């Protein structure tokens, strides 16, 4: 495996049927609340597999690939300067594939302390306001379009 992160990732909006959204606070940036995110481990890793792995690693929630809703949307965004060192020299943008995962209310969350220090469930409008990333906030606001 390369020592650099692959600039292809997933964003998974974890939510309840009532559209309460799970946000997790980054360990390396205490003011940054976000949805589950993470990069592919290998270039040929499927986005669904990446999403299932990241949800389990970051929240302790074990989902099946069939439980994910693939939004068939991607964001391309500039990598924040403080994290560019994790990517190969000259890599400035990341491609992020969007998913959602509906879970029952009161689903237990077990954080990876290496990555996140706290979590909260918020109504989706409040969750969007709490996100540091504009693309994450936009995805959360689109949640009602993708929920049955």
């Amino acid at each position: 495996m390369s020592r650099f992160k692959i600039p292809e990732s997933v964003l998974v909006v974890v939510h309840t049927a009532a559209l309460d959204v799970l946000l997790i606070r980054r360990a390396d940036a205490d003011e940054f609340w976000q949805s589950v995110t993470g990069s592919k481990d290998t270039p040929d890793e499927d986005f669904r597999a990446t999403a299932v792995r990241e949800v389990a690693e970051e929240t302790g929630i074990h989902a099946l690939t069939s439980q994910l809703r693939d939004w068939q949307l991607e964001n391309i965004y500039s990598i924040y300067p403080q994290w560019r060192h994790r990517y190969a020299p000259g890599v400035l943008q990341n491609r992020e594939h969007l998913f959602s995962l509906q879970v029952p209310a009161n689903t237990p969350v077990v954080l990876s302390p290496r990555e996140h220090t706290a979590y909260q469930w918020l109504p989706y409008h409040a969750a969007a306001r709490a996100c540091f990333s504009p693309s994450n906030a936009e995805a959360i606001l689109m949640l009602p379009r993708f929920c049955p």
Side-chain angles (χ1 to χ4, degrees), residues 129-148:
R129 285 191 302 273
C131 282
F132 82 95
S133 162
S135 61
N136 193 166
E138 181 181 4
I140 290 170
L141 291 174
M142 290 191 300
L143 186 59
R145 288 181 34 202
F146 292 96
C147 290

mmCIF file of all heavy atoms in Angstrom, residues 129-148:
data_model
loop_
_atom_site.group_PDB
_atom_site.id
_atom_site.type_symbol
_atom_site.label_atom_id
_atom_site.label_comp_id
_atom_site.label_asym_id
_atom_site.label_seq_id
_atom_site.Cartn_x
_atom_site.Cartn_y
_atom_site.Cartn_z
ATOM 1 N N ARG A 129 -25.762 22.926 9.736
ATOM 2 C CA ARG A 129 -25.155 24.158 10.267
ATOM 3 C C ARG A 129 -23.894 23.862 11.077
ATOM 4 O O ARG A 129 -22.976 24.676 11.129
ATOM 5 C CB ARG A 129 -26.166 24.916 11.132
ATOM 6 C CG ARG A 129 -27.241 25.640 10.336
ATOM 7 C CD ARG A 129 -28.054 26.595 11.203
ATOM 8 N NE ARG A 129 -28.716 25.938 12.321
ATOM 9 C CZ ARG A 129 -29.920 25.362 12.272
ATOM 10 N NH1 ARG A 129 -30.607 25.368 11.147
ATOM 11 N NH2 ARG A 129 -30.434 24.794 13.343
ATOM 12 N N ALA A 130 -23.833 22.699 11.707
ATOM 13 C CA ALA A 130 -22.692 22.358 12.567
ATOM 14 C C ALA A 130 -21.477 21.858 11.781
ATOM 15 O O ALA A 130 -20.370 21.854 12.313
ATOM 16 C CB ALA A 130 -23.111 21.307 13.585
ATOM 17 N N CYS A 131 -21.664 21.451 10.537
ATOM 18 C CA CYS A 131 -20.557 20.909 9.736
ATOM 19 C C CYS A 131 -19.558 21.987 9.356
ATOM 20 O O CYS A 131 -19.938 23.098 8.994
ATOM 21 C CB CYS A 131 -21.084 20.295 8.439
ATOM 22 S SG CYS A 131 -21.787 18.693 8.662
ATOM 23 N N PHE A 132 -18.282 21.618 9.381
ATOM 24 C CA PHE A 132 -17.253 22.555 8.944
ATOM 25 C C PHE A 132 -17.120 22.565 7.429
ATOM 26 O O PHE A 132 -16.716 23.556 6.838
ATOM 27 C CB PHE A 132 -15.905 22.233 9.600
ATOM 28 C CG PHE A 132 -15.131 21.138 8.916
ATOM 29 C CD1 PHE A 132 -14.163 21.454 7.978
ATOM 30 C CD2 PHE A 132 -15.364 19.807 9.207
ATOM 31 C CE1 PHE A 132 -13.445 20.455 7.351
ATOM 32 C CE2 PHE A 132 -14.654 18.812 8.590
ATOM 33 C CZ PHE A 132 -13.686 19.126 7.655
ATOM 34 N N SER A 133 -17.463 21.475 6.784
ATOM 35 C CA SER A 133 -17.287 21.351 5.340
ATOM 36 C C SER A 133 -18.555 21.764 4.599
ATOM 37 O O SER A 133 -19.623 21.190 4.833
ATOM 38 C CB SER A 133 -16.954 19.902 4.989
ATOM 39 O OG SER A 133 -17.168 19.644 3.625
ATOM 40 N N PRO A 134 -18.452 22.719 3.691
ATOM 41 C CA PRO A 134 -19.642 23.116 2.918
ATOM 42 C C PRO A 134 -20.242 21.972 2.105
ATOM 43 O O PRO A 134 -21.461 21.866 2.005
ATOM 44 C CB PRO A 134 -19.122 24.230 1.998
ATOM 45 C CG PRO A 134 -17.896 24.746 2.670
ATOM 46 C CD PRO A 134 -17.296 23.577 3.388
ATOM 47 N N SER A 135 -19.413 21.097 1.544
ATOM 48 C CA SER A 135 -19.968 19.991 0.760
ATOM 49 C C SER A 135 -20.673 18.979 1.655
ATOM 50 O O SER A 135 -21.688 18.392 1.267
ATOM 51 C CB SER A 135 -18.885 19.316 -0.085
ATOM 52 O OG SER A 135 -17.873 18.769 0.716
ATOM 53 N N ASN A 136 -20.185 18.781 2.870
ATOM 54 C CA ASN A 136 -20.855 17.906 3.829
ATOM 55 C C ASN A 136 -22.200 18.512 4.239
ATOM 56 O O ASN A 136 -23.220 17.817 4.282
ATOM 57 C CB ASN A 136 -19.958 17.679 5.037
ATOM 58 C CG ASN A 136 -20.404 16.559 5.965
ATOM 59 O OD1 ASN A 136 -19.628 16.141 6.809
ATOM 60 N ND2 ASN A 136 -21.621 16.065 5.844
ATOM 61 N N ALA A 137 -22.214 19.801 4.514
ATOM 62 C CA ALA A 137 -23.462 20.481 4.881
ATOM 63 C C ALA A 137 -24.481 20.377 3.750
ATOM 64 O O ALA A 137 -25.664 20.091 3.985
ATOM 65 C CB ALA A 137 -23.183 21.944 5.220
ATOM 66 N N GLU A 138 -24.024 20.574 2.525
ATOM 67 C CA GLU A 138 -24.920 20.487 1.369
ATOM 68 C C GLU A 138 -25.503 19.077 1.247
ATOM 69 O O GLU A 138 -26.693 18.912 0.982
ATOM 70 C CB GLU A 138 -24.166 20.863 0.096
ATOM 71 C CG GLU A 138 -25.015 20.829 -1.144
ATOM 72 C CD GLU A 138 -24.235 21.185 -2.405
ATOM 73 O OE1 GLU A 138 -23.011 21.393 -2.341
ATOM 74 O OE2 GLU A 138 -24.886 21.249 -3.462
ATOM 75 N N ALA A 139 -24.676 18.061 1.461
ATOM 76 C CA ALA A 139 -25.161 16.686 1.388
ATOM 77 C C ALA A 139 -26.232 16.437 2.447
ATOM 78 O O ALA A 139 -27.267 15.825 2.162
ATOM 79 C CB ALA A 139 -23.995 15.716 1.557
ATOM 80 N N ILE A 140 -26.006 16.905 3.645
ATOM 81 C CA ILE A 140 -26.997 16.715 4.707
ATOM 82 C C ILE A 140 -28.316 17.389 4.353
ATOM 83 O O ILE A 140 -29.391 16.831 4.571
ATOM 84 C CB ILE A 140 -26.443 17.216 6.061
ATOM 85 C CG1 ILE A 140 -25.328 16.275 6.536
ATOM 86 C CG2 ILE A 140 -27.553 17.309 7.105
ATOM 87 C CD1 ILE A 140 -24.551 16.788 7.731
ATOM 88 N N LEU A 141 -28.256 18.564 3.769
ATOM 89 C CA LEU A 141 -29.483 19.265 3.377
ATOM 90 C C LEU A 141 -30.225 18.537 2.250
ATOM 91 O O LEU A 141 -31.434 18.712 2.102
ATOM 92 C CB LEU A 141 -29.176 20.712 2.989
ATOM 93 C CG LEU A 141 -28.757 21.598 4.154
ATOM 94 C CD1 LEU A 141 -28.328 22.980 3.641
ATOM 95 C CD2 LEU A 141 -29.865 21.733 5.193
ATOM 96 N N MET A 142 -29.529 17.729 1.474
ATOM 97 C CA MET A 142 -30.164 16.946 0.405
ATOM 98 C C MET A 142 -30.782 15.650 0.925
ATOM 99 O O MET A 142 -31.475 14.953 0.188
ATOM 100 C CB MET A 142 -29.152 16.616 -0.692
ATOM 101 C CG MET A 142 -28.734 17.815 -1.506
ATOM 102 S SD MET A 142 -27.781 17.349 -2.979
ATOM 103 C CE MET A 142 -26.377 16.498 -2.285
ATOM 104 N N LEU A 143 -30.539 15.323 2.176
ATOM 105 C CA LEU A 143 -30.986 14.044 2.728
ATOM 106 C C LEU A 143 -32.463 13.737 2.473
ATOM 107 O O LEU A 143 -32.771 12.609 2.060
ATOM 108 C CB LEU A 143 -30.657 14.005 4.231
ATOM 109 C CG LEU A 143 -30.906 12.709 4.963
ATOM 110 C CD1 LEU A 143 -30.120 11.565 4.360
ATOM 111 C CD2 LEU A 143 -30.562 12.876 6.437
ATOM 112 N N PRO A 144 -33.394 14.670 2.657
ATOM 113 C CA PRO A 144 -34.805 14.317 2.416
ATOM 114 C C PRO A 144 -35.084 13.836 0.987
ATOM 115 O O PRO A 144 -36.004 13.042 0.779
ATOM 116 C CB PRO A 144 -35.552 15.628 2.706
ATOM 117 C CG PRO A 144 -34.664 16.357 3.653
ATOM 118 C CD PRO A 144 -33.261 16.016 3.210
ATOM 119 N N ARG A 145 -34.292 14.283 0.028
ATOM 120 C CA ARG A 145 -34.476 13.830 -1.368
ATOM 121 C C ARG A 145 -34.144 12.364 -1.541
ATOM 122 O O ARG A 145 -34.616 11.723 -2.487
ATOM 123 C CB ARG A 145 -33.590 14.635 -2.313
ATOM 124 C CG ARG A 145 -34.041 16.043 -2.531
ATOM 125 C CD ARG A 145 -33.160 16.829 -3.481
ATOM 126 N NE ARG A 145 -32.568 16.065 -4.564
ATOM 127 C CZ ARG A 145 -31.461 16.455 -5.218
ATOM 128 N NH1 ARG A 145 -30.856 17.571 -4.894
ATOM 129 N NH2 ARG A 145 -30.995 15.725 -6.200
ATOM 130 N N PHE A 146 -33.285 11.825 -0.677
ATOM 131 C CA PHE A 146 -32.791 10.475 -0.850
ATOM 132 C C PHE A 146 -33.371 9.474 0.140
ATOM 133 O O PHE A 146 -32.982 8.314 0.152
ATOM 134 C CB PHE A 146 -31.254 10.464 -0.784
ATOM 135 C CG PHE A 146 -30.640 11.169 -1.955
ATOM 136 C CD1 PHE A 146 -30.258 12.500 -1.849
ATOM 137 C CD2 PHE A 146 -30.468 10.513 -3.155
ATOM 138 C CE1 PHE A 146 -29.712 13.151 -2.935
ATOM 139 C CE2 PHE A 146 -29.915 11.156 -4.256
ATOM 140 C CZ PHE A 146 -29.540 12.490 -4.145
ATOM 141 N N CYS A 147 -34.280 9.921 0.982
ATOM 142 C CA CYS A 147 -34.897 9.027 1.970
ATOM 143 C C CYS A 147 -36.268 8.602 1.490
ATOM 144 O O CYS A 147 -37.032 9.427 0.981
ATOM 145 C CB CYS A 147 -35.034 9.728 3.315
ATOM 146 S SG CYS A 147 -33.448 9.973 4.099
ATOM 147 N N PRO A 148 -36.585 7.350 1.691
ATOM 148 C CA PRO A 148 -37.919 6.879 1.248
ATOM 149 C C PRO A 148 -39.038 7.497 2.062
ATOM 150 O O PRO A 148 -38.862 7.989 3.132
ATOM 151 C CB PRO A 148 -37.846 5.372 1.457
ATOM 152 C CG PRO A 148 -36.645 5.093 2.278
ATOM 153 C CD PRO A 148 -35.783 6.306 2.271
#
